[in-house]
Amino acid sequence: MLHYGIDQFSYEQMMQIINGEETATLNETAREQITNSFNNVQKIVESDRTVYGINTGFGPLCDVKISESETAQLQYNLIISHAVGVGKSIHKDLSKIMMIAKVHALSKGFSGVSMEIIERLIFMIEIDYLDKLKSDK
């Protein structure tokens, strides 16, 4: 069993996760790292501190403080501004490898994301494998 945010994952191990031959999970250490990071961001949002990217604009607007009530919209706008889709779709396995790498990185506890985001990504990684098991019966 591999642990997100703790172990090092090889390409081969990620393919084993995708194919249901290996399991990856969040252990208690990773869960604590994620929760502590999320709580730190929440404290910043609730305080008067100004922290780039959490309650400020980006780039040239880095000195513009965003109100607590507008921080959720700021984060949403950031995601939308980076969303793009051009060209052919990527192979499903590559998409899953990218999600595994993202879960692994977020589970190190440096991003401030909520546990729910990470759990949803893990669900999305695992759902095809679960569907495949059902169809094989």
Side-chain angles (χ1 to χ4, degrees), residues 5 18 26 39 44 59 81-82 106-107 114 117 130 132-133:
I18 291 167
L26 291 172
N39 290 340
I44 291 168
S81 74
H82 286 77
L106 294 175
S107 297
S114 68
I117 290 172
L130 297 174
K132 183 181 177 200
L133 281 179

Side-chain angles (χ1 to χ4, degrees), residues 19-67:
N19 294 323
E21 300 161 1
E22 179 65 83
T23 307
T25 188
L26 291 172
N27 69 7
E28 193 57 37
T29 300
R31 289 181 179 279
E32 286 175 17
Q33 292 170 171
I34 295 162
T35 301
N36 289 341
S37 181
F38 177 77
N39 290 340
N40 287 337
V41 169
Q42 293 308 112
K43 288 176 189 172
I44 291 168
V45 170
E46 294 166 2
S47 75
D48 286 333
R49 287 180 49 207
T50 302
V51 177
Y52 179 78
I54 295 177
N55 57 7
T56 69
F58 301 99
L61 299 174
C62 66
D63 57 351
V64 176
K65 186 162 183 184
I66 308 299
S67 70

